[in-house]
């Protein structure tokens, strides 16, 4: 490992490290615009110039490998003049837009010009002006500000896998564009705004709404999918203004999906802010006491087998625990957290992502069964692409063909292919057997079918036979937590399909929907429906009583991501109107029903959760789930696997209430129609 001396401090760095990394290891901050730790080296801004002994001129530290014995100086007069010269050139054409620029206060160019800028310009020529480029409804462009660092170009090509941004022209005429000026199609497109070191790319929905110093920052966890991306929620007063990523190397690195970032406008539209009770076929506003009284009138004395509860996809562990305990006290085993009917449960190792998200980077063979990672979990898809770009990995897909942003072998469409791989009739069987660290990823498209249990058994058997890591790719943020807490039918209980069938036949009298909107509400028949949630979506439209709950940004809650990692979301704002935290609503209802739950504070609820599932005490840690169980095999249907997501932007009540997501959905549909017409 080479040793480098930086300003008199000797540091040892890994082979292949750059001088910039050596300087950072020595605690010396080097200014930069084009360099980014997760992107390839461009070396085109020259802001990171340093002086190296025996070099005739300053060198770009981001592009210069660290060699043993190198002596670097970063504070000399020569370095200072060189950086000031670079800054002067960068500002020749840059407009003085700071007072009206959304990047103001968070701009790298603004910060570094304070250190290396001058108070006047020596240039009298007219500044260059560049026409704005259209990059879709999410990314706003003011390309006159662009300093051509090419971070956005490299991100789109290398991380997102959609090379839609590039440079045209040369010299002063060079421009960054999407070539034909169409909307960006990547589910990760808005990350280019985070990367932009100036105000050339900003958030279109956030434009001219707030300044960074006006906002209160709260660290939390995303619930738009099951990845559990770490986020920062910025609020002003009680309103969520924007959502940004937080760095977590084990989960989302520093990226988030566009849906995660831009659903914030859905948090304030179509909200349920007071209880409602249906009378004479119409919902009317009611007090909490009236709503609880209406529920008590139907639940008190009801037989356990004639009541049921379904938990939704966005809820936290606390309210799931409260609902489970309430239903147990009411003597019912009809409870389920699997809205989509996924055949999951039992041993924890059979329903989590055992290899971990970061473990994808160690795989040398990946088999994807019935999943579309690009739309079900864009962050995980980016990890797979990262592994693909590193080389030395074979990827096979069983299921529909999708553009996953990396090359793969399409092995087949359905269960027959899975049987062929297990029997060795498919060539990918040898790939798995010969691999050192193979992994198998099973998606919900394979598990929500009627034969989902048989598919799961076949996949676990294949994982055991090939010594592969077995992984289930979830889409619902609440799913793993619900399974951990046992929100599945007890002995003689009904699952979601059974509950809906019972309600249709009149065998179920009362159904409690805890944020459950992804079910066929037409099958609820004449059952008395209690809906507890945040938005006026499908569940609320069918409800006889509505209890307004809190969105994920409005409560403290525990969430378990697809790899079984327990994470803590924090309240960034308060719920609107009379809405309350969900676990507290269920606790208050239990008292009215005469079966009071044994906790009054959040810490008591969490203590009860940890008593049921001890791994909940290990926040932000991976607790190994143990060996894969032997699952009973069954007959698999010959039908091909289908993708469970038909519209990436509209998968939950918050997203469906978002005007931004509706615009993105319409844009994607129009682009798809255009592509089909062109074909």
């Amino acid at each position: 490992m080479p040793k480098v001396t930086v300003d008199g401090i000797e540091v040892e760095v890994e082979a292949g490290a750059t001088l910039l990394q050596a300087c950072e290891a020595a605690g010396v901050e080097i200014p930069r615009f084009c360099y980014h730790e997760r992107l390839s080296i461009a070396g085109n801004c020259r802001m990171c110039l340093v002086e190296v002994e025996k070099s005739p001129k300053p060198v770009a530290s981001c592009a210069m490998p660290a060699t043993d014995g190198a002596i670097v100086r970063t504070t000399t007069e020569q370095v200072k003049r060189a950086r000031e010269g670079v800054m002067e050139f960068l500002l020749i054409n840059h407009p003085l837009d700071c007072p009206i620029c959304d990047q103001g206060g968070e701009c790298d160019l603004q910060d570094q010009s304070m250190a290396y800028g001058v108070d006047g310009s020596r240039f009298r020529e007219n500044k260059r002006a560049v026409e704005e480029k259209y990059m879709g409804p999410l990314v706003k462009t003011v390309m006159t500000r662009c300093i051509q660092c090419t971070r956005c170009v490299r991100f789109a090509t290398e991380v997102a896998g959609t090379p839609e941004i590039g440079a045209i022209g040369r010299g002063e005429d060079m421009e960054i564009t999407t070539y034909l000026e169409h909307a960006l199609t990547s589910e990760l497109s808005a990350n280019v705004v985070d990367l932009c070191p100036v105000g050339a790319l900003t958030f279109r929905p956030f434009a001219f709404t707030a300044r960074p110093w006006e906002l209160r920052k709260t660290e939390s966890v995303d619930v738009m999918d099951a990845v559990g991306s770490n986020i920062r929620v910025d609020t002003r007063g009680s309103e969520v203004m924007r959502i940004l990523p937080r760095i977590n190397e084990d989960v989302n690195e520093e990226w988030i999906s566009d849906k995660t970032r831009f659903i914030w406008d859905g948090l304030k539209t179509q909200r349920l802010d007071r209880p409602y009770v249906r009378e004479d076929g119409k919902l009317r506003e009611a007090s909490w006491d009236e709503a609880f009284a209406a529920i008590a009138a139907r639940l008190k004395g009801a037989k356990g087998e004639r009541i049921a509860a379904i938990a939704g996809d966005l809820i936290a562990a606390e309210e799931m625990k409260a609902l489970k305990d309430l239903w147990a006290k009411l003597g019912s085993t009809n409870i389920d957290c699997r809205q989509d009917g996924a055949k999951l449960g039992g041993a924890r190792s059979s329903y989590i992502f055992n290899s971990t998200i970061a473990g994808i980077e160690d795989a040398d063979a990946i088999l994807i069964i019935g999943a579309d990672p690009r739309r079900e979990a864009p962050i995980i898809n980016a990890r797979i692409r990262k592994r693909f770009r590193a080389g030395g990995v074979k990827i096979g897909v069983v299921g529909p063909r999708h553009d996953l942003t990396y090359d793969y072998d399409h092995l087949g469409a359905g269960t027959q292919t899975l049987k062929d791989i297990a029997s060795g009739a498919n060539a990918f069987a040898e790939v798995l057997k010969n691999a050192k660290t193979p992994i198998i990823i099973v998606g919900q498209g394979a598990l929500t079918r009627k034969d989902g249990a048989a598919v799961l058994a076949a996949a676990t058997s294949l994982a055991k036979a090939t010594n592969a890591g077995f992984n289930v790719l979830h889409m619902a943020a609440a799913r793993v937590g619900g399974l951990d807490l046992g929100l599945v039918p007890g002995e003689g209980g009904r699952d979601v399909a059974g509950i809906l069938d019972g309600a249709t036949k009149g065998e179920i009298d009362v159904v409690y929907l805890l944020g459950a909107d992804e079910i066929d509400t037409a099958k609820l028949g004449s059952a008395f429906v209690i809906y507890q949630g945040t938005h006026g979506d499908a569940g609320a439209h069918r409800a006889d009583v509505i209890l307004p709950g809190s969105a994920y940004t409005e409560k403290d809650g525990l969430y378990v991501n697809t790899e079984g990692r327990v994470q803590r979301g924090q309240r960034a704002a308060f719920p609107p109107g009379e809405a309350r935290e969900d676990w507290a609503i269920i606790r208050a209802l239990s008292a009215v029903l005469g079966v009071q739950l044994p906790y009054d504070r959040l810490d008591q609820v969490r203590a009860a959760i940890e008593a049921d599932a001890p791994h909940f005490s290990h926040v932000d840690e991976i607790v190994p789930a143990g060996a894969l169980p032997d699952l009973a095999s069954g007959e698999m249907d010959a039908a091909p696997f289908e993708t469970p997501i038909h519209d990436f932007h509209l998968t939950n009540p918050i997203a469906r209430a978002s005007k931004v997501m509706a615009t993105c959905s319409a844009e994607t549909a129009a682009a798809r129609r255009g592509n089909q017409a062109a074909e």
Side-chain angles (χ1 to χ4, degrees):
M1 295 173 64
K3 293 182 179 180
V4 180
T5 302
V6 180
D7 294 339
I9 302 172
E10 186 177 82
V11 293
E12 191 173 21
V13 296
E14 294 183 4
T18 64
L19 288 181
L20 189 150
Q21 291 170 315
C23 292
E24 290 187 334
V28 177
E29 184 178 353
I30 302 295
R32 82 290 298 270
F33 293 115
C34 69
Y35 176 80
H36 192 276
E37 293 81 357
R38 303 186 198 280
L39 304 176
S40 60
I41 294 172
N44 54 7
C45 79
R46 320 308 283 183
M47 195 65 202
C48 63
L49 293 172
V50 297
E51 186 179 324
V52 180
E53 193 171 89
K54 298 182 181 179
S55 173
K57 58 182 180 180
V59 301
S61 59
C62 72
M64 180 64 69
T67 56
D68 192 45
I71 298 176
V72 181
R73 300 183 183 91
T74 67
T75 58
T76 65
E77 186 62 27
Q78 183 187 34
V79 170
K80 183 175 182 292
R81 286 201 313 272
R83 292 176 181 172
E84 288 174 348
V86 170
M87 178 61 68
E88 190 174 13
F89 273 112
L90 288 175
L91 295 177
I92 289 174
N93 286 311
H94 197 80
L96 189 57
D97 281 352
C98 298
I100 61 163
C101 179
D102 278 319
Q103 203 83 318
E106 298 175 324
C107 176
D108 292 351
L109 182 64
Q110 197 176 54
D111 293 342
Q112 292 182 32
S113 65
M114 292 297 292
Y116 300 103
V118 293
D119 60 356
S121 173
R122 293 182 291 167
F123 295 88
R124 296 292 177 263
E125 293 82 2
N126 292 329
K127 287 182 178 287
R128 184 184 77 146
V130 181
E131 289 186 4
E132 309 313 337
K133 314 299 181 187
Y134 180 69
M135 292 190 180
L138 303 180
V139 180
K140 180 176 181 286
T141 65
V142 185
M143 300 312 289
T144 300
R145 302 171 187 161
C146 179
I147 62 171
Q148 295 152 7
C149 68
T150 69
R151 280 187 181 183
C152 57
V153 177
R154 284 173 284 151
F155 173 84
T157 302
E158 298 165 13
V159 179
T162 53
E164 301 168 317
I165 307 177
I168 59 173
R170 299 182 66 185
E172 188 183 28
D173 297 324
M174 179 178 169
E175 298 180 15
I176 303 296
T177 177
T178 54
Y179 304 115
L180 299 178
E181 295 199 27
H182 61 74
L184 299 175
T185 62
S186 171
E187 294 75 18
L188 302 170
S189 64
N191 287 286
V192 298
V193 178
D194 292 333
L195 290 170
C196 184
V198 295
L201 304 178
T202 55
F203 301 121
R204 189 180 294 275
F206 181 69
F208 309 125
T209 58
R211 286 298 197 180
W213 54 85
E214 298 178 299
L215 305 177
R216 186 176 69 250
K217 287 82 172 172
T218 306
E219 295 184 350
S220 192
V221 179
D222 172 53
V223 300
M224 291 299 107
D225 55 30
V227 175
S229 298
N230 285 210
I231 59 174
R232 192 188 84 194
V233 182
D234 288 0
T235 55
R236 184 172 60 189
S238 61
E239 185 178 355
V240 175
M241 302 300 295
R242 66 176 179 178
I243 295 174
L244 299 175
R246 284 190 296 129
I247 295 177
N248 187 321
E249 299 292 349
D250 295 326
V251 182
N252 59 305
E253 297 183 295
E254 61 185 84
W255 319 123
I256 54 174
S257 74
D258 292 343
K259 184 164 57 176
T260 296
R261 190 186 297 269
F262 289 112
I263 52 82
W264 49 264
D265 67 319
L267 291 167
K268 54 190 175 184
T269 55
Q270 294 187 308
R271 286 301 300 270
L272 302 173
D273 58 358
R274 58 181 59 86
Y276 288 84
V277 173
R278 190 178 297 276
E279 288 182 357
D280 300 325
K282 294 183 179 180
L283 289 168
R284 69 165 178 85
E285 294 182 16
S287 67
W288 279 102
D289 289 340
E290 288 177 306
F292 284 166
I295 296 171
R298 298 301 297 261
L299 279 178
K300 276 189 175 178
K303 294 182 178 180
E305 64 269 18
R306 297 191 68 85
I307 64 174
I310 302 174
D313 293 344
L314 307 183
I315 58 180
E318 288 83 354
E319 48 261 33
M320 285 192 284
K321 169 62 176 170
L323 180 66
K324 179 190 173 188
D325 289 352
L326 174 61
W327 238 237
K329 285 181 175 288
L330 294 175
S332 177
T333 56
N334 300 327
I335 188 169
D336 202 350
C337 66
R338 303 162 299 181
Q339 282 191 100
D340 53 11
K343 308 302 186 291
L344 291 167
R348 194 165 189 258
S349 58
S350 68
Y351 62 77
I352 67 170
F353 207 97
N354 293 280
S355 299
T356 74
I357 296 171
I360 292 172
E361 297 184 27
D362 298 323
D364 54 359
I366 302 174
L367 176 63
I368 301 172
I369 302 171
D372 177 7
R374 179 172 174 182
R375 288 160 190 86
E376 294 174 33
I379 298 300
I380 288 181
N381 195 65
R383 283 273 189 175
I384 299 175
R385 173 168 173 77
K386 182 179 180 181
R387 178 65 191 90
F388 167 76
R389 292 188 70 246
V393 63
K394 292 275 189 178
I395 304 174
V397 171
V398 180
R401 291 180 183 271
H402 296 292
D403 176 10
L404 298 181
T405 71
Y406 41 81
D407 296 336
Y408 62 85
D409 295 326
H410 186 254
L411 308 175
T415 56
Q416 185 57 50
T417 305
L418 189 56
K419 293 177 183 177
D420 291 344
I421 296 173
S423 66
N426 189 293
F428 205 81
E430 285 301 311
V431 174
L432 290 174
K433 290 179 180 177
N434 295 332
K436 293 181 179 178
T437 53
I439 65 173
I440 295 173
I441 300 174
V442 183
Q444 301 305 299
L447 301 174
T448 55
R449 301 154 39 114
K450 290 183 178 179
D451 63 344
V455 175
L456 179 66
T460 54
S461 296
L462 178 61
K464 284 183 171 183
T466 57
N467 200 29
F470 178 77
N471 307 286
V472 173
L473 181 60
H474 289 277
M475 298 185 299
R479 184 64 49 80
V480 176
L483 294 172
D484 284 349
L485 292 173
L487 268 79
V488 293
E491 186 176 349
R494 296 174 183 258
D495 60 8
V496 166
I499 292 170
L500 296 179
D501 182 61
T504 301
K505 295 177 179 178
E507 297 168 356
I508 296 291
D509 297 327
V510 180
V511 179
Y512 199 117
L513 302 180
L514 179 57
D517 293 276
E518 315 306 323
I519 60 173
D520 186 356
T521 54
K523 294 183 178 180
L524 291 171
S526 60
F528 183 82
V529 177
I530 305 157
Y531 178 78
Q532 179 179 331
T534 59
H535 286 73
D537 207 77
H541 288 179
R542 173 58 185 83
D544 295 290
V545 175
I546 294 176
L547 306 177
S550 303
Y552 70 106
T553 56
E554 299 160 359
K555 61 188 175 187
D556 294 320
L558 296 174
Y559 301 90
V560 189
N561 75 348
T562 192
E563 59 182 349
R565 182 188 301 271
V566 177
Q567 298 187 105
R568 184 172 292 150
Q570 297 188 69
R571 176 193 289 157
F574 286 91
E578 297 180 39
R580 297 292 182 266
E581 290 195 35
D582 292 283
W583 75 267
I585 294 173
I586 299 171
R587 161 64 181 78
L589 176 61
S590 71
V592 175
L593 295 175
V595 287
Q596 184 168 314
L597 298 177
Y599 28 76
D600 300 314
R601 302 190 311 270
L602 182 63
D603 62 312
Q604 293 175 331
V605 182
R606 288 179 172 169
I609 289 173
E610 292 172 14
D612 283 0
H615 64 271
F616 272 88
S617 63
H618 300 277
V619 176
D620 203 29
E621 297 179 18
I622 294 291
V623 178
L628 275 175
D630 292 318
L631 301 178
S633 59
E635 189 63 32
M636 292 189 289
D637 195 319
F641 297 131
E642 296 181 2
T643 181
I645 289 185
H646 301 290
D647 192 330
F648 167 75
H649 299 100
L650 304 176
T651 56
N652 60 65
I654 302 176
R656 288 190 287 269
S658 167
K659 183 179 178 180
V660 176
M661 289 296 100
T663 303
C664 291
S665 175
E667 186 106 28
T668 301
R672 189 180 299 117
R673 287 194 298 270
N675 292 338
Q676 290 172 349
E679 292 171 1

